[in-house]
Amino acid sequence: MGQETERTYLCIDLKSFYASVECKERGLDPMTTNLVVADPERTEKTICLAVSPSMKALGVPGRCRVFEIPKGIDYVMAPPRMQLYINYSADIYSIYLKYLAKEDIHSYSIDEIMADVTDYLPLYQLSAKELGMRIMDDILENIGIPAACGIGTNLYLAKVALDITAKHAEDHIGVLDEETYRKTLWRHKPLTDFWRVGPGIAKKLGSMGIFTMEGIARAEEEALYQAFGIDAELLIDHAWGREPTTIADIKAYKSKSNSISSGQVLGCDYDFEKAKLVTKEMADMLCLELVDKGLVTDSITLSVGYNSRYGMKSAHGTTTMTVTTSSAKQILSYTEKLFERIVDRHTPIHRIYLTFNRVVDEAYQQYDLFTDPAELEREHRLQKAMLDIKEKFGKNAILKGMNLVEGATAQERNRQIGGHKSGE
């Protein structure tokens, strides 16, 4: 049996994507224009969704708050236009499809893809670097958005080559295999520059006297497993530059359990009753999502965060229903009771996060003794009709009475994508 071919992966990232799109729309060069994407209608504490490469060159972090931008820098502030960014992303994805089959592409985010290019290199008679450069040039020439590329012998090395090595390369392409990774990045600091090493993990490693990937590789494995449990396996593999997961593995993955959720940070502090109204709106919207996807649920989890003046105080709770359903009438009743059970009536509320757990196909719908199947079917048809109207005429074409009450947020959220203005 022959040895398996060593695989080659590309990881391509669109540089400061939202900011680059806004520069392109204004006929400006994203590499030389100072521009931030942020909503001017929000406070100075609002987070910038993106800053242009020239702003980064001046030391401005990519996800800073508006007030953190140094006063001496002149810049353009562009309100978010999420639908525009989605359209650009779709156009760029069509460029990837000119070179690669969708089965070999994993969309990591709206502005980043990973791809297995092993079988394409002999086909095109190109090196991985030449193929990466050709795709990047095609995106720049046809869409006007600059990109960077990481190349690696596994997905982890391709991602690290993108995040760390490509930043310091004149052609914005980084290349790593296990040997060059250990030679060039084993002593790189800080550890948080590496994929999947967050501040919490880095802090715990620091308390063990470990500050580099070499330190993890040389550490006693037993100590790492005691500190991180099963996650130590990933840390150790990555310290040595190993990653067994492939694009095919990602495509084949099926989650054992599914959920859908909705969260929002409120524009100002809400009292108990107003926050309950917003929570019911969120539950109602999630119910329509269930109906649209042909799904049902029997479990609800609610998390509420209070104003930070009261410390990192929050409320969290889960309720299991006696039915498995997508009925807004039934689910809103359980959601309201859960809210009243766990939320402090006297503390201002700043954020709400609602999750429907154990989401399954509607074929598994279950009733209890108090459910009228005929009434449930009538509600289901009504929900379907609402979805059709919203699809044809917009999400705000049909509203419920609660959506018109003071403090309701559904109408505004219907004009957003991912919690930000759609631009339409």
Side-chain angles (χ1 to χ4, degrees):
M1 191 171 175
Q3 189 176 5
E4 190 178 338
T5 305
E6 184 177 76
R7 309 213 70 78
T8 304
Y9 296 90
L10 297 187
C11 193
I12 299 176
D13 174 59
L14 308 169
K15 291 175 74 68
S16 304
F17 179 50
Y18 298 162
S20 293
V21 169
E22 293 295 345
C23 286
K24 173 68 167 53
E25 287 289 304
R26 291 164 169 76
L28 303 169
D29 184 348
M31 303 306 289
T32 59
T33 302
N34 290 342
L35 181 143
V36 305
V37 178
D39 190 347
E41 293 181 11
R42 298 190 183 184
T43 68
E44 279 204 331
K45 290 183 179 179
T46 191
I47 293 175
C48 299
L49 294 185
V51 305
S52 62
S54 67
M55 291 281 280
K56 287 184 179 177
L58 294 170
V60 179
R63 296 280 288 177
C64 66
R65 297 182 186 273
V66 171
F67 75 84
E68 293 173 329
I69 299 171
K71 300 299 179 192
I73 299 177
D74 290 325
Y75 60 88
V76 176
M77 182 181 285
R81 293 189 280 179
M82 299 306 292
Q83 188 59 55
L84 180 67
Y85 310 147
I86 291 170
N87 295 342
Y88 265 78
S89 182
D91 290 341
I92 292 166
Y93 190 81
S94 69
I95 289 178
Y96 298 137
L97 292 176
K98 287 166 58 177
Y99 300 90
L100 311 164
K102 70 179 189 300
E103 289 79 13
D104 295 313
I105 303 170
H106 169 58
S107 293
Y108 187 65
S109 66
I110 191 172
D111 60 354
E112 190 172 329
I113 62 115
M114 297 171 169
D116 184 341
V117 297
T118 310
D119 299 330
Y120 298 90
L121 304 182
L123 175 68
Y124 295 134
Q125 299 278 288
L126 294 172
S127 69
K129 194 167 185 177
E130 287 168 337
L131 178 57
M133 184 62 76
R134 185 170 292 188
I135 295 171
M136 289 163 63
D137 287 345
D138 198 337
I139 294 168
L140 187 61
E141 185 179 330
N142 290 289
I143 310 295
I145 303 297
C149 177
I151 299 167
T153 48
N154 61 48
L155 285 170
Y156 170 72
L157 291 176
K159 177 66 172 159
V160 172
L162 171 71
D163 290 345
I164 302 177
T165 312
K167 286 182 180 177
H168 307 291
E170 201 171 315
D171 57 7
H172 306 298
I173 295 181
V175 184
L176 290 174
D177 57 22
E178 288 184 27
E179 185 181 349
T180 55
Y181 169 77
R182 292 197 286 268
K183 191 179 292 182
T184 60
L185 294 178
W186 243 17
R187 297 181 181 178
H188 176 91
K189 294 178 183 179
L191 271 172
T192 48
D193 282 351
F194 290 88
W195 190 32
R196 297 195 58 158
V197 180
I201 291 174
K203 185 177 180 182
K204 187 177 281 191
L205 286 167
S207 71
M208 300 167 68
I210 299 171
F211 302 96
T212 63
M213 281 295 172
E214 182 182 25
I216 297 173
R218 303 291 190 206
E220 287 286 337
E221 289 195 4
E222 188 178 335
L224 291 171
Y225 276 99
Q226 281 183 349
F228 297 99
I230 196 169
D231 291 340
E233 183 178 352
L234 185 75
L235 274 175
I236 294 163
D237 273 353
H238 285 182
W240 288 100
R242 298 188 294 249
E243 173 54 68
T245 303
T246 65
I247 295 286
D249 292 332
I250 294 171
K251 296 285 186 182
Y253 176 76
K254 294 283 187 295
S255 175
K256 289 181 181 177
S257 62
N258 292 302
S259 64
I260 62 170
S261 60
S262 175
Q264 63 177 300
V265 177
L266 301 166
C268 59
D269 290 343
Y270 270 41
D271 63 23
F272 182 87
E273 291 299 332
K274 280 187 179 178
K276 181 165 68 173
L277 167 68
V278 171
T279 303
K280 288 166 66 178
E281 283 188 308
M282 291 163 66
D284 190 52
M285 291 166 79
L286 285 177
C287 288
L288 284 179
E289 187 177 338
L290 288 177
V291 172
D292 189 36
K293 294 177 178 177
L295 301 169
V296 289
T297 183
D298 70 349
S299 174
I300 303 164
T301 295
L302 174 65
S303 296
V304 168
Y306 300 107
N307 185 298
S308 58
R309 292 196 306 271
Y310 296 83
M312 299 306 290
K313 190 179 173 187
S314 62
H316 183 85
T318 296
T319 188
T320 299
M321 301 187 290
T322 58
V323 291
T324 306
T325 186
S326 59
S327 160
K329 183 179 178 182
Q330 291 177 310
I331 290 174
L332 261 66
S333 174
Y334 277 96
T335 302
E336 185 171 7
K337 287 172 186 171
L338 176 61
F339 185 95
E340 290 172 345
R341 174 166 63 83
I342 69 168
V343 176
D344 184 345
R345 290 179 173 271
H346 308 293
T347 308
I349 294 159
H350 193 58
R351 62 187 182 278
I352 303 168
Y353 199 84
L354 184 67
T355 302
F356 290 175
N357 312 302
R358 298 200 293 263
V359 169
V360 295
D361 188 274
E362 62 186 357
Y364 294 96
Q365 180 168 261
Q366 292 183 345
Y367 308 140
D368 62 12
L369 292 172
F370 306 102
T371 300
D372 179 350
E375 184 183 338
L376 205 62
E377 180 56 33
R378 279 195 298 274
E379 185 189 2
H380 192 72
R381 288 200 301 269
L382 182 61
Q383 287 174 303
K384 284 278 193 184
M386 288 175 67
L387 282 167
D388 289 343
I389 292 169
K390 287 172 180 281
E391 178 69 27
K392 287 179 184 175
F393 303 107
K395 291 180 180 178
N396 281 329
I398 185 165
L399 297 166
K400 291 187 174 181
M402 67 177 172
N403 305 138
L404 304 173
V405 176
E406 183 189 352
T409 63
Q411 288 188 75
E412 177 59 32
R413 284 172 63 79
N414 283 339
R415 290 189 284 267
Q416 298 176 346
I417 297 173
H420 302 286
K421 289 182 176 177
S422 70
E424 294 193 324

